[in-house]
Structure formats: structure tokens, C-alpha cells
Amino acid sequence: MRESAMDWKEVLRQRLATSDTGLNTEKKSEQELKDEEMDLFTKYYSEWKGGGKNTNVFHKSIPRFYYRLPAEDEVLLQKLREESRAVFLQRKSRELLDNEELQNLWFLLDKHQTPPMIGEEAMINYESFLKVGEKAGPKCKQFFTAKVFAKLLHTDSYGRVSIMQFFNYVMRKVWLHQTRIGLSLYDVAGQGYLRESDLENYILELIPTLPQLDGLEKSFYSFYVCTAVRKFFFFLDPLRTGKIKIQDILACSFLDDLLELRDEELSKESQETNWFSAPSALRVYGQYLNLDKDHNGMLSKEELSRYGTATMTNVFLDRVFQECLTYDGEMDYKTYLDFVLALENRKEPAALQYIFKLLDIENKGYLNVFSLNYFFRAIQELMKIHGQDPVSFQDVKDEIFDMVKPKDPFKISLQDLINSNQGDTVTTILIDLNGFWTYENREALVANDSENAADLDDT
């Protein structure tokens, strides 16, 4: 036992001696340790930057995801980029079906139709569908898939799809790709979006291809282009960034409306409801000229007050000139177009956003009782001027909250207005005496319409 105890003492002495030696060494080599630390830092930093010989090779497998755009003074790189984009778009264009190939596809589909016909509509089953796909050529391969067939398969008891529906699907796809390529040619930045000037150039060069615009004088082209472009930017650029994604242009119906003007036999009714038609553009511009009494090319608040039925409140018009872009207190044609688009499309979220910003006088992001009262008092004053008995604000306030049903019972947000599907009615009540009168007398007006319809039936 004694020897064992002595052994442990010896071991402890040796460990303490070793520990003391280590401490002394550490005290003596403090500067050396700092130098070593700096050497290690320099080594690892160099390896991280890629300068070391033993650089980690795993980063080489990460694909490059950022490519710097050429600067304005790098003319050669800009030209190279433009040429490469042009070649790419040409190649994509050649991959699309041309008129002859589309005609050939229609003949093949008609030849392989599967009886019996449903009325006058030819049908095709999946087996024949695949046969046509084999004969139609490589460009059509993307359309002849099980997924496409299943999408078009509806209620046919024989498991077939309509040949006309399938062909229209192919035509629509080809048109979308053609239009995407056409718009991309005007994408100067090459980033998948169009600036205002890019879209203006596109529409200006499109005018000669639209028969319905043949009667427009060239002196009116700039005003027409401004009118057309504003609709795209008002609805597709709500944050006013000054650019629109080409994808968004293709997804909305505006381009369809614009290209509808290719139809030489477009009805008068369709032209009147189409913002891009010549009669519609001339109507909007004509209204602007009629409002401009001093013929200075701009509209003052007094001139704008005659818009429509001339029954908008001064309080609302004040807000328009406070929030919208003006020049020396007057409104130009572009700002006027935004105003018209908002008032003529009050059911649309973008239009409600425009009007909501004007109604939100405290810039709180919601309308409360105070803001509603602020605008409705102006309606009450107009009612007195026109010899009408003012309606109680309390009643109108309750009706508005009942219509909107906001999440917060004391605040109406923009989203509440949109979700209620009553945003157009609510905004009309607060800004326009004629609109409020129409709302208040809606039951009597419906009754009169019914009586007039009955009288016409009797005759």
C-alpha cells in the first residue's frame, strides 16, 4: 500500500511539473502565439478567397447565378449582348409553327377524327391523337402529350376530346410565344420587363397592323399611344415602378383587347367597350379637350370639377390635386388618364387602391368614422345647395360598415373594400352627389325600369 501511495505522489509531482512548464512556456511565447495566429488567419483567408493551393473544391460545383450587366461605356459588351439576344429570339421564333404547318396539323386532325360526331363537332380519341402527333412533325411534339389530352377531356362518354378545342389550344400557345418574342424585341434592358418608353414603341409600331385604327390621323398617334399605354401601367404597375413584366402583359386580357382591333368587322358595341379602339381613345381625349377651357393643355381643379355629371365634391377634388402629380397645380393628360381609369373601373382592385389613397386623409392605411364623415359632409353640403334634405351621416356610416363588413368593426382597410365587392358603391357614395343620389333612390329606379319594361311589352 505504501509503495502504491508513493507512486501516486510521484505521478502528481510529474503532472504539476509538466503543468508549470506549460504555463511558463505559454508566458514566454505569447508574441509567438500571436504571430502564429496571424499566419493561420492569413492562410485561411487566402484559401477562402481562392488563392491557396488547398482550396476547397466543393464551391466549384455551385453554378454561377449572377452575371453583371454591361455598363453604359462598355459598348462592345452591350452590342455582343444585344446580338446574342437577337439570335436567341430568332431561334425561338423558328421553333414555332408557321401558317402552313398549322394548316397541315388541321388536315391531319380532321383526317383522324373518331366517330360518332357530337352535333357538328368532330372528336378524336387518344389512340388517334397519338398517331397525329407522330405524323405532325417535331415542332408539334410538345402538344401531343397525355397531360394536354387530359386537360381537354371533359364529359365525352367515349373518352374523346374536341378537335376544334385542341386546335384552338395549339393556336393560343403559338400566339402566346409569338407575342412573347415580339415583346422581348422591345425589352431594351433584356430583363423580362418593359419600361414605359419600350411599350410606347411597341404600340406605335403595332398601329399600322390594326385595321380598326386605319382612320386615325398621324397627328393623334402620340395621344393614342399615351392612352393605350396608361391602361397597362395603371393596372399592371400599382407600385409605380415604371416597368411591367412581360409575363404580366401576356397574362392579362389587355393585349387581347388591343389585338382585337385586327378584326375588320368588329361591331360598334365592341368598339365602344374596348379602351383601345379609335372611338374610345377619341372620346377620352375629346373629354379632356372639352374640360380644358383655357386651352393651355392642362386641367385645373375648377376645370376637372366639370368631369362627368359635374357632381363630384370639392373635398374629393382637393385630395386628387394633393396626391396626384401636377404641374403648377394643374393636371396633364397622363395624370388625367389615371383619374379616368380609376373612376371608370371602380370594381377593380387597382382603381380602388387609387381612390382609397385619396380617401385615407390621415395616411393610416384604413378609413375610420372620422374620414368617412369628412367626405360625406361635402355630400350633405351639395344636397343643401341643390335643395335636397341632407341624409344623416349616422345612417350612411352604418350602411357602409354593413356593406363592407370589415375585420375590425371600427376600421375599413383597402383589402376589406376589395373583399366586400361593394368598393365601387362605397366610394361613389363618398365622392359624387349624383352617385349617392342614385344609390339612395335605387329601389325607385328599379321599380321605374320594371314599369317601363312592362309598358314596352304591352305595346
Side-chain angles (χ1 to χ4, degrees):
M1 289 291 290
R2 187 174 180 81
E3 288 181 5
S4 172
M6 289 297 291
D7 289 342
W8 278 109
K9 286 180 181 179
E10 189 63 32
V11 169
L12 285 169
R13 281 196 197 97
Q14 288 176 359
R15 288 189 176 181
L16 286 169
T18 305
S19 177
D20 290 341
T21 306
L23 288 169
N24 292 334
T25 304
E26 187 176 347
K27 289 178 182 177
K28 291 177 182 178
S29 61
E30 187 174 346
Q31 185 60 42
E32 291 177 5
L33 288 171
K34 284 185 177 180
D35 293 341
E36 185 181 352
E37 183 182 341
M38 181 56 69
D39 291 340
L40 286 171
F41 171 76
T42 304
K43 174 189 172 186
Y44 292 136
Y45 182 72
S46 298
E47 288 180 3
W48 176 70
K49 288 187 69 177
K53 293 181 180 179
N54 298 321
T55 303
N56 190 337
V57 296
F58 290 107
H59 78 277
K60 294 181 179 178
S61 63
I62 300 174
R64 184 175 177 184
F65 58 88
Y66 173 73
Y67 294 87
R68 183 181 66 84
L69 292 176
E72 291 183 6
D73 57 343
E74 295 176 319
V75 180
L76 185 60
L77 287 177
Q78 283 187 342
K79 287 290 182 185
L80 178 62
R81 187 166 181 271
E82 288 174 12
E83 287 299 319
S84 61
R85 283 187 67 245
V87 170
F88 170 76
L89 293 173
Q90 286 172 6
R91 187 175 76 245
K92 285 295 180 183
S93 184
R94 287 194 295 270
E95 291 174 3
L96 299 178
L97 295 169
D98 58 30
N99 289 337
E100 186 176 339
E101 288 165 329
L102 284 168
Q103 192 174 23
N104 181 54
L105 174 61
W106 174 255
F107 287 144
L108 284 171
L109 288 167
D110 189 53
K111 185 178 178 181
H112 288 80
Q113 62 177 277
T114 309
M117 292 179 67
I118 298 178
E120 296 182 357
E121 191 167 12
M123 310 292 285
I124 187 169
N125 63 19
Y126 188 60
E127 185 180 354
S128 299
F129 179 78
L130 293 178
K131 286 180 182 177
V132 174
E134 292 172 1
K135 295 179 181 180
K139 286 186 182 181
C140 294
K141 187 177 180 181
Q142 60 178 309
F143 303 116
F144 288 88
T145 65
K147 187 176 181 180
V148 171
F149 190 88
K151 278 182 179 179
L152 298 172
L153 186 62
H154 296 302
T155 57
D156 183 63
S157 55
Y158 297 95
R160 303 167 303 170
V161 299
S162 163
I163 287 176
M164 181 59 73
Q165 284 185 9
F166 172 70
F167 189 70
N168 286 338
Y169 168 81
V170 174
M171 290 278 286
R172 178 70 178 171
K173 281 285 188 180
V174 171
W175 178 84
L176 278 172
H177 283 103
Q178 283 176 340
T179 309
R180 174 65 191 257
I181 291 168
L183 288 169
S184 296
L185 291 172
Y186 293 84
D187 177 12
V188 176
Q191 296 292 291
Y193 60 77
L194 296 184
R195 300 168 303 174
E196 200 163 338
S197 57
D198 300 331
L199 190 56
E200 285 173 354
N201 291 333
Y202 172 75
I203 292 178
L204 184 62
E205 294 184 22
L206 192 66
I207 290 175
T209 69
L210 305 174
Q212 287 295 333
L213 301 181
D214 284 346
L216 280 184
E217 295 182 10
K218 288 194 175 181
S219 59
F220 185 67
Y221 276 15
S222 60
F223 295 102
Y224 175 81
V225 169
C226 181
T227 305
V229 168
R230 276 329 294 162
K231 181 158 188 175
F232 283 95
F233 274 85
F234 181 82
F235 289 102
L236 303 183
D237 182 30
L239 298 179
R240 303 298 180 255
T241 61
K243 57 188 180 184
I244 308 174
K245 289 181 181 179
I246 292 176
Q247 185 177 349
D248 291 341
I249 295 175
L250 293 171
C252 76
S253 62
F254 301 157
L255 210 54
D256 289 333
D257 294 340
L258 181 60
L259 297 178
E260 186 181 42
L261 303 180
R262 288 175 174 171
D263 185 359
E264 295 183 9
E265 299 179 358
L266 191 65
S267 68
K268 186 177 179 181
E269 292 76 13
S270 297
Q271 290 185 49
E272 289 175 353
T273 56
N274 189 330
W275 174 266
F276 303 101
S277 70
S280 176
L282 290 167
R283 171 185 64 83
V284 174
Y285 186 63
Q287 287 174 347
Y288 183 77
L289 293 180
N290 288 334
L291 292 172
D292 182 19
K293 294 300 181 183
D294 59 7
H295 306 295
N296 68 343
M298 309 280 276
L299 297 183
S300 64
K301 177 192 159 189
E302 184 184 349
E303 289 172 331
L304 186 65
S305 69
R306 289 191 287 270
Y307 174 82
T309 55
T311 53
M312 284 186 295
T313 66
N314 282 328
V315 169
F316 175 68
L317 291 172
D318 284 340
R319 289 291 295 152
V320 172
F321 280 81
Q322 286 169 9
E323 292 291 331
C324 298
L325 178 64
T326 57
Y327 302 88
D328 294 327
E330 294 200 313
M331 177 185 290
D332 70 348
Y333 185 54
K334 190 180 291 186
T335 306
Y336 172 76
L337 287 171
D338 285 347
F339 177 81
V340 173
L341 285 164
L343 294 186
E344 289 189 359
N345 300 274
R346 292 183 216 188
K347 286 184 177 291
E348 299 296 326
L352 286 175
Q353 181 182 359
Y354 176 98
I355 301 173
F356 185 88
K357 184 180 179 182
L358 303 177
L359 297 178
D360 183 14
I361 52 176
E362 297 177 291
N363 199 27
K364 290 183 175 179
Y366 60 82
L367 306 180
N368 54 21
V369 175
F370 172 79
S371 50
L372 296 180
N373 187 36
Y374 179 79
F375 284 95
F376 191 72
R377 273 187 304 175
I379 294 289
Q380 291 174 320
E381 289 171 7
L382 282 179
M383 293 182 78
K384 290 178 183 177
I385 292 171
H386 287 81
Q388 301 174 12
D389 294 330
V391 177
S392 166
F393 167 71
Q394 196 65 30
D395 294 340
V396 172
K397 182 259 296 182
D398 291 341
E399 286 188 41
I400 289 175
F401 275 91
D402 286 342
M403 280 191 285
V404 178
K405 295 179 176 61
K407 289 182 179 179
D408 187 318
F410 302 104
K411 301 173 183 176
I412 297 175
S413 68
L414 172 61
Q415 198 57 51
D416 290 329
L417 270 184
I418 295 171
N419 293 343
S420 71
N421 291 322
Q422 298 290 332
D424 57 323
T425 303
V426 171
T427 54
T428 299
I429 288 172
L430 295 172
I431 67 176
D432 186 353
L433 174 62
N434 187 60
F436 173 73
W437 185 90
T438 303
Y439 170 76
E440 276 291 285
N441 296 276
R442 59 193 181 283
E443 294 178 1
L445 291 172
V446 169
N448 286 337
D449 289 341
S450 300
E451 290 175 9
N452 291 335
D455 291 340
L456 287 173
D457 290 340
D458 291 340
T459 57

